[in-house]
Amino acid sequence: DAKTTQPNSMESNEEEPVHLPCNHSTISGTDYIHWYRQLPSQGPEYVIHGLTSNVNNRMASLAIAEDRKSSTLILHRATLRDAAVYYCILRGSNSGGSNYKLTFGKGTLLTVNP
Amino acid sequence: GAVVSQHPSWVICKSGTSVKIECRSLDFQATTMFWYRQFPKQSLMLMATSNEGSKATYEQGVEKDKFLINHASLTLSTLTVTSAHPEDSSFYICTAPWGGRLGGELFFGEGSRLTVL
C-alpha cells in the first residue's frame, strides 16, 4: 500500500469544524482514499472514502486535492464523541481479496475540548 | 446495515491455555476476512488473511502454528491463540469487506481483548 502521512495529534473545540489533513504523494491512479476512526477500546469504524471528487456523507466530508497527493477529512461540527484516532489509508481498486487489506499508520489522535 | 461481530469481547486466561475468538459477518457473506492485532498505544498490525474453504495467509513474522485460523463458513472465521503467553496479550480485531465492492468500505468487529496471566 502507498504510504500516508498524518499529524500525530490535533485538538479542537466542541461544535467547531475540524480539518484533518493527510498527505499521500505516492498515490497511484487507481488508489481510493479511505478514512477510518477508532474510538478507545473499539474496532475501527468506516468514515468515508473517495477517489477523485469530494465526497460528503452523514459523518463527514472528504476534500481531495486536484493532484490527489493530499486530502482533508472535515468534521463540520466536532462533538465529544468524535474524539478518536483517525486513519487515512490508501486502497487499490483491483479485484481480489488481497486488495481489501488495509495498512494502518499511526493516525491522528483528535482531542475535542468541551 | 452490514455488521461484523466478534466474541468474546474480552477474555482472561492462564498462561499455556488456548483461546478461541470468533468473527461473524452478519447479513452478508465474507469469503475473506482479516485479523489484526493491536498493542496498547500502537496501531493495528495485520496478522493474517482468512480464506473461506482454504488455508489462511499469514503476514511475515506471524506464527501460523500459534495463531490458528479457520474459516469454515461464509459467515464465520475463528482465531485460536494456542498456548497463550503474557506477550500474546493484545486487542484482536477482525474485518470483512462487504459486498465485494471495489474500493468499498470494510466493516470491523468490536475487537477482543485478550489478557494472559
Side-chain angles (χ1 to χ4, degrees):
Chain A
D1 290 333
K3 188 175 180 179
T4 63
T5 304
Q6 299 177 253
N8 290 333
S9 62
M10 290 187 66
E11 201 166 324
S12 173
N13 295 321
E14 199 173 9
E15 299 197 359
E16 291 184 355
V18 181
H19 290 234
L20 298 167
C22 179
N23 288 320
H24 29 78
S25 58
T26 59
I27 189 171
S28 75
T30 56
D31 283 340
Y32 282 81
I33 302 161
H34 280 243
W35 284 82
Y36 289 79
R37 71 180 185 181
Q38 186 178 24
L39 280 66
S41 298
Q42 294 187 29
E45 173 188 29
Y46 167 80
V47 178
I48 200 168
H49 77 280
L51 185 61
T52 56
S53 303
N54 294 344
V55 185
N56 299 298
N57 66 20
R58 64 176 179 80
M59 289 182 69
S61 296
L62 176 60
I64 302 173
E66 195 169 336
D67 62 5
R68 301 210 325 126
K69 293 185 176 182
S70 65
S71 62
T72 302
L73 178 70
I74 303 167
L75 306 179
H76 295 286
R77 290 182 63 194
T79 69
L80 296 178
R81 293 170 57 182
D82 291 324
V85 177
Y86 286 78
Y87 297 99
C88 169
I89 302 170
L90 301 182
R91 269 187 58 197
S93 58
N94 296 321
S95 60
S98 63
N99 208 43
Y100 294 114
K101 293 199 291 188
L102 297 182
T103 300
F104 285 81
K106 295 185 178 179
T108 297
L109 174 62
L110 175 65
T111 301
V112 181
N113 300 315
Chain B
V3 173
V4 173
S5 180
Q6 282 184 244
H7 177 80
S9 55
W10 59 270
V11 57
I12 301 173
C13 70
K14 293 182 179 180
S15 185
T17 60
S18 294
V19 175
K20 180 186 287 187
I21 301 171
E22 294 184 345
C23 178
R24 293 183 183 274
S25 59
L26 308 179
D27 300 328
F28 70 102
Q29 295 180 334
T31 56
T32 303
M33 293 183 178
F34 299 95
W35 286 94
Y36 288 83
R37 178 169 56 182
Q38 185 176 33
F39 292 109
K41 298 194 182 299
Q42 294 188 23
S43 190
L44 285 78
M45 294 297 295
L46 180 65
M47 297 177 66
T49 302
S50 175
N51 304 300
E52 188 268 334
S54 65
K55 291 182 179 180
T57 305
Y58 292 82
E59 297 299 304
Q60 191 172 7
V62 177
E63 301 175 57
K64 62 180 182 180
D65 294 330
K66 181 168 187 61
F67 299 99
L68 301 180
I69 291 174
N70 184 283
H71 196 149
S73 78
L74 288 171
T75 60
L76 174 64
S77 174
T78 60
L79 168 68
T80 301
V81 183
T82 62
S83 185
H85 291 283
E87 57 265 30
D88 298 322
S89 298
S90 188
F91 194 49
Y92 293 87
I93 307 166
C94 70
T95 182
W98 175 66
R101 295 183 298 169
L102 295 177
E105 64 266 36
L106 283 85
F107 292 91
F108 287 82
E110 311 93 325
S112 299
R113 187 166 302 283
L114 171 64
T115 301
V116 185
L117 303 176

